[in-house]
Amino acid sequence: MNNIIKTIGLTHFHSKKSKTLSDINLKIDKGQIYGFLGPNGAGKTTTLRLILGLLKTQQGKIEIFGQDFQSNRIDILKKVGSLIENPSLYGHLRADENLEVYRKLYGASKARLTEVLKIVGLDNTAKKKVKQFSLGMKQRLSVALALLPNPELLILDEPANGLDPTGIIELRELVKKLNKEHGMTILMSSHQLTEIEKMVSHVGIIAKGEMIFQGSLEELHLLQKKQAKLLIRTSDNVGAISVLKAYEPEQLDDAISVAYQNEQDIADIGRKLYEKQLDIYLLQPVQNNLEQLFMDLTTQHA
């Protein structure tokens, strides 16, 4: 069994006239760190709530650990840890005392309590009260709560939300550690690609309740390269468009834009223009970073 999460045609309505999700087909394999990305209101949290059974499935099917979720909900959830909304942390208690509140509920041992504190780097907070914790420390304590049952699958909804750069780095290292050293498959949502780009192995992008990309981070990088453009301005832009038809030229205000794949393409384009005796005033590569690609994909879909 390689699929940890698989959704088939997952569709959800908030009301008869308001469709929140449309035909969501997630596929998350064992050992992946999967970044579920999309703008605020795109349907990320709704999807995660459906996967965890916090919302009733209306249309479609959910399989977790290769089992139908509806038929095996209790057994499945025993192997899942989640952080959907910030849990209630008691500011007047220490980190270990907060975990003790939930420990019996999860059926975890006291040894596991000590272990998860060490995993998230809060084992030496001594007598420090949670109200004295930084936001990043509170978030790591929240993750510790989700780790109490020693889950095979960890689901985190916007875990980097509100964290400063230090907190994001700490979260990044924790996620990688859980995946590499503890063998957890991790599904985490975010509305900012730059926050989790350095954590994930695979990406799903959702906009307006529809999946617009799903694949490995490497595949997203390839898409980024395919979106690369070359800005060109010559003594005759209309003539240049005719010369460069194979490169899908696009007319701009005082220049043209063509798609290119590599440096050899740039050389070939320059040569073709030179052979037609066109003066070249501008030949400027413009390659989107991943964040810009994410913005372009979600904006185009809107």
Side-chain angles (χ1 to χ4, degrees), residues 238-293:
V238 175
I241 287 175
S242 178
V243 172
L244 301 175
K245 281 184 179 179
Y247 294 93
E248 303 174 357
E250 179 185 354
Q251 178 72 57
L252 304 177
D253 290 339
D254 62 344
I256 61 177
S257 171
V258 301
Y260 79 98
Q261 299 294 321
N262 49 48
E263 290 182 348
Q264 186 59 51
D265 282 348
I266 298 175
D268 291 341
I269 287 168
R271 189 178 303 110
K272 289 178 186 297
L273 295 173
Y274 176 79
E275 289 171 353
K276 293 296 181 179
Q277 298 184 334
L278 296 174
D279 294 330
I280 303 171
Y281 304 137
L282 178 70
L283 200 64
Q284 178 182 338
V286 180
Q287 184 170 311
N288 286 345
N289 57 33
L290 284 182
E291 184 69 14
Q292 185 60 51
L293 174 62

Side-chain angles (χ1 to χ4, degrees), residues 230-245:
L230 185 67
L231 290 182
I232 303 169
R233 190 167 68 250
T234 72
S235 54
D236 180 6
N237 286 343
V238 175
I241 287 175
S242 178
V243 172
L244 301 175
K245 281 184 179 179

